[in-house]
């Protein structure tokens, strides 16, 4: 067997092992229900997130998705975006400790959102995203664990409720986790505050100075160009006179 054939065999074997690994892991590592923020999810602010639900079965379709929200860090506002073919239901629960929000006392918070197939479903090899608007996010937490339950049309139920332990291996059915970033100046996710009047004035003064400098440089450039043009003009005249004189002298020599 030649070296090239041995190399080809090794490449084929390695490729087969890699493909087998992908097939074995595709039903676990890539089939988790997850939550993905669209932009920033800052503490004390508001955020839009997508609940991503892949179908992990080859012979069944997902027809129901339930996402639960922790009441120890309650959210007063959870609004689902309408999705064609799915019906969304928001469930609220009483709070043991009322929540203060924008000067108002909130006695209940959203504890669950349920999407039920209504003319649609998540088929094998497909996934569906369920957008949510959340707020106000807690200021005293680094993350929110949103436990999810996925139901198939063959009555099978998968509970994505296992929490990840620090330093431990990933659970078989991990719960979706929304990571919260540091609080921003604007809790609504808007732009930073406008600069102060003094800063604006300094900026305007600097801009004016730059305009004057540019104008001075343009004037100096124009004067320099004009001077150069004049010198070239004089040189051209002198060359012309010298040419005429040379011609006259040459004519006289020929005549003589």
């Amino acid at each position: 067997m030649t070296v090239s054939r041995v190399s080809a065999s090794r490449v084929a074997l390695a490729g087969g092992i890699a493909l087998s690994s992908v097939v074995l892991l595709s039903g676990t590592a890539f089939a988790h229900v997850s939550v993905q923020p669209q932009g920033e999810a800052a503490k004390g602010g508001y955020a839009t997130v997508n609940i991503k639900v892949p179908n992990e079965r080859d012979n069944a379709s997902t027809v129901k998705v339930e996402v639960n929200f922790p009441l120890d860090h309650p959210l007063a506002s959870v609004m689902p975006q309408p999705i064609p073919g799915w019906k969304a239901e928001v469930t609220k629960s009483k709070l043991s400790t009322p929540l203060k929000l924008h000067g108002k006392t909130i006695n209940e918070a959203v504890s669950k959102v349920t999407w039920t197939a209504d003319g649609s479903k998540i088929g094998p090899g497909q996934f569906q995203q369920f957008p949510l608007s959340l707020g106000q996010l807690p200021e005293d937490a680094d993350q929110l664990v949103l436990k999810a339950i996925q139901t198939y049309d063959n009555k099978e139920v998968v509970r994505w409720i296992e929490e990840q332990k620090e330093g431990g291996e990933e659970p078989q059915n991990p719960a979706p986790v929304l990571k919260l970033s540091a609080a921003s100046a604007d809790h609504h996710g808007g732009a930073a505050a406008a600069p102060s009047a003094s800063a604006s004035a300094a900026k305007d003064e600097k801009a004016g100075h730059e305009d004057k400098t540019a104008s001075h440089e343009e004037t100096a450039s124009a004067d320099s160009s004009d001077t150069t043009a004049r010198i070239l003009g004089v040189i051209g005249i002198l060359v012309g006179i010298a040419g005429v004189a040379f011609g006259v002298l040459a004519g006289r020599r020929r005549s003589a």
Side-chain angles (χ1 to χ4, degrees), residues 9-238:
S9 299
R10 290 178 178 176
V11 170
L13 178 60
I17 294 174
L19 180 60
S20 300
S21 299
V22 171
V23 172
L24 290 174
L25 295 175
S26 62
T28 56
F30 304 124
H32 298 167
V33 173
S34 60
V35 55
Q36 302 171 341
Q38 303 304 298
E40 187 180 36
K43 298 178 182 180
Y46 293 78
T48 298
V49 303
N50 280 333
I51 305 298
K52 185 177 180 180
V53 183
N55 189 352
E56 57 171 9
R57 296 293 181 262
D58 297 328
N59 57 354
S61 298
T62 299
V63 293
K64 186 177 180 181
V65 177
E66 176 184 311
V67 176
N68 295 272
F69 295 86
L71 292 181
D72 55 344
H73 293 100
L75 300 176
S77 175
V78 176
M79 295 186 295
Q81 178 177 315
I83 300 176
W86 292 86
K87 180 182 178 181
E89 181 182 358
V90 178
T91 302
K92 293 185 177 182
S93 298
K94 292 287 185 180
L95 296 175
S96 57
T97 301
L99 182 67
K100 295 289 185 180
L101 183 64
H102 301 309
K104 297 181 180 180
T105 300
I106 308 297
N107 295 313
E108 60 181 10
V110 174
S111 57
K112 180 173 61 177
V113 176
T114 304
W115 291 272
T116 305
D118 185 19
S120 182
K121 59 179 64 177
I122 308 173
Q126 299 178 343
F127 76 93
Q128 176 68 52
Q129 296 191 105
F130 298 91
L132 289 171
S133 175
L134 308 179
Q136 183 174 357
L137 298 175
E139 298 180 354
D140 57 348
D142 296 324
Q143 64 181 30
L144 291 178
V145 178
L146 310 180
K147 297 182 179 182
I149 300 176
Q150 183 177 10
T151 303
Y152 291 87
D153 55 8
N154 63 356
K155 308 303 180 182
E156 180 185 4
V157 176
V158 179
R159 301 179 183 276
W160 303 95
I161 61 174
E162 300 177 33
E163 297 188 34
Q164 174 76 49
K165 295 182 180 180
E166 186 175 357
E169 295 182 357
E170 184 181 46
Q172 183 177 358
N173 294 319
V177 176
L178 176 62
K179 300 289 186 179
L180 304 182
S181 59
S184 59
D186 182 0
H187 284 175
H188 289 272
S196 61
S198 58
S200 299
K203 184 177 180 181
D204 293 341
E205 182 179 354
K206 180 180 179 181
H209 177 70
E210 291 177 349
D211 291 341
K212 290 180 181 178
T213 301
S215 177
H216 177 72
E217 290 177 352
E218 290 176 359
T219 302
S221 177
D223 292 342
S224 177
S225 299
D226 186 57
T227 301
T228 302
R230 290 178 181 177
I231 293 174
L232 292 176
V234 172
I235 292 175
I237 293 173
L238 293 177

